Amino acid sequence: MPVIAETKELTKRFGDTLAVDKLSFSIEEGDIYGFLGENGAGKSTTIRMLLGLIYPSEGTVYIKGTAFNNRKRHLLQHIGAIIERPDMYGYLSGWDNLRMFASMSDKHIPNARLHEVLEIVGLKGRETDKVRAYSQGMKQRLGIAIAMVHNPDLLILDEPTNGLDPQGIAEMRKLIMQLSKEHGKTILISSHLLHEIEQVASKILVIHKGRKMVEGKAAQLLNPGETLIEAETLPCEDIAAKIAPTQWQQFVQNIDPAGITFKMHPGQVPALNKWLVENGVQVLELRSKHSLEAYFLSLTHDTATPDRAI
């Protein structure tokens, strides 16, 4: 697939602080690209370099194959972005905010396009309301409409679910999937909500202290054989002794009186449950921990080798 945006050896220093360290990655057309890292890992700095808000100390950003610099800012027409909470004028209506930002584009944006993006983000019928009356979810969706108004190839969404309640998060997830599947948008999502990224991302990049830890397709990185299964049980003093001589011992990660944690393929869970019950272990619940969360923690807290790709 064509590459929409790419970085090579991207580096940013602020005085003695190395915020981004030789970061190379590529976003292909059609990707929903999950960009993950702890607070302070360098995600926001990287996004600002992609948008030309700050310039790298070393390395290069490429947009659709062309090196981006201050003399080639026209390349930004291929990108739309919202960074953290979108900044809008509360005393203006949603329509007036959208029209004002559209007027800043190098392109002529007809009113028909404004109506179209409002329809896409689910704000049709609320465009005449003052933005100060919008919920946080509505403001986020208006921010996406503003980012989309010039019909960019790549949307960059920095923490798009920040400040949203569970319903708002679900609605944002649905909108992201629609933008990808129905409107053909390539999307970069920076987020700390690992479960949300796991549900939508087709490709994942994890950075730690400014360095790439891993990049690859989500389906390959999130190996189902690495799923953590937590078995919550009634207290059972001899549970460790029961498991020790069996095939299940190889999967055990932790045992305590109230439960056991296994690492295994989800397809093995029914047989495990049957064995536990048949051997007198009273199972209250079997649940899987999000594999992305476990994988992320293994990369950022263990002695993982950086800069791996699949």
Side-chain angles (χ1 to χ4, degrees), residues 82-88 136 139-140 143 158-164:
I82 58 169
I83 300 181
E84 297 175 350
R85 296 192 178 190
D87 219 357
M88 289 169 286
Q136 184 57 39
K139 291 176 182 175
Q140 290 289 80
D158 186 16
E159 299 285 359
T161 55
N162 251 5
L164 303 187

Side-chain angles (χ1 to χ4, degrees), residues 26-231:
S26 60
I27 303 170
E28 296 180 345
E29 184 179 290
D31 281 342
I32 298 181
Y33 195 96
F35 188 22
L36 297 172
E38 298 169 301
N39 289 336
K43 301 190 305 298
S44 293
T45 300
T46 300
I47 287 173
R48 283 168 168 77
M49 286 190 283
L50 282 172
L51 296 171
L53 299 175
I54 58 176
Y55 285 93
S57 304
E58 299 170 24
T60 309
V61 171
Y62 295 87
I63 298 175
K64 302 200 79 170
T66 301
F68 173 59
N69 55 46
N70 196 40
R71 295 185 301 277
K72 297 179 180 176
R73 297 191 67 82
H74 65 278
L75 292 171
L76 290 175
Q77 66 183 317
H78 299 292
I79 300 177
I82 58 169
I83 300 181
E84 297 175 350
R85 296 192 178 190
D87 219 357
M88 289 169 286
Y89 297 96
Y91 61 89
L92 295 178
S93 67
W95 174 266
D96 287 338
N97 270 275
L98 185 58
R99 185 173 57 182
M100 182 182 63
F101 283 103
S103 70
M104 299 177 187
S105 173
D106 292 336
K107 298 180 179 180
H108 169 67
I109 311 294
N111 283 349
R113 175 61 181 169
L114 306 188
H115 286 294
E116 181 183 14
V117 294
L118 286 168
E119 182 77 39
I120 289 171
V121 302
L123 289 178
K124 197 68 176 173
R126 299 296 303 273
E127 64 267 36
T128 60
D129 294 357
K130 296 288 191 291
V131 166
R132 63 184 174 220
Y134 281 10
S135 67
Q136 184 57 39
M138 292 171 68
K139 291 176 182 175
Q140 290 289 80
R141 283 184 274 142
L142 181 59
I144 292 176
I146 290 168
M148 286 181 57
V149 75
H150 60 293
N151 200 22
D153 299 295
L154 172 65
L155 278 176
I156 297 178
L157 308 180
D158 186 16
E159 299 285 359
T161 55
N162 251 5
L164 303 187
D165 59 21
Q167 181 178 345
I169 290 173
E171 290 172 352
M172 182 59 65
R173 184 197 315 135
K174 181 180 178 182
L175 174 58
I176 289 167
M177 297 300 293
Q178 286 176 338
L179 292 174
S180 173
K181 293 182 177 179
E182 298 177 17
H183 302 281
K185 293 301 175 187
T186 302
I187 305 170
L188 167 67
I189 310 172
S190 169
S191 180
H192 66 281
L193 296 178
L194 305 184
H195 180 51
E196 290 305 312
I197 293 293
E198 187 174 13
Q199 293 187 75
V200 301
S202 58
K203 196 172 181 180
I204 291 172
L205 168 67
V206 179
I207 67 171
H208 181 54
K209 295 181 179 179
R211 297 195 67 190
K212 177 166 75 174
M213 302 304 293
V214 72
E215 178 189 21
K217 293 183 178 179
Q220 292 173 301
L221 294 179
L222 303 180
N223 185 342
E226 297 297 314
T227 298
L228 293 177
I229 305 296
E230 291 183 335

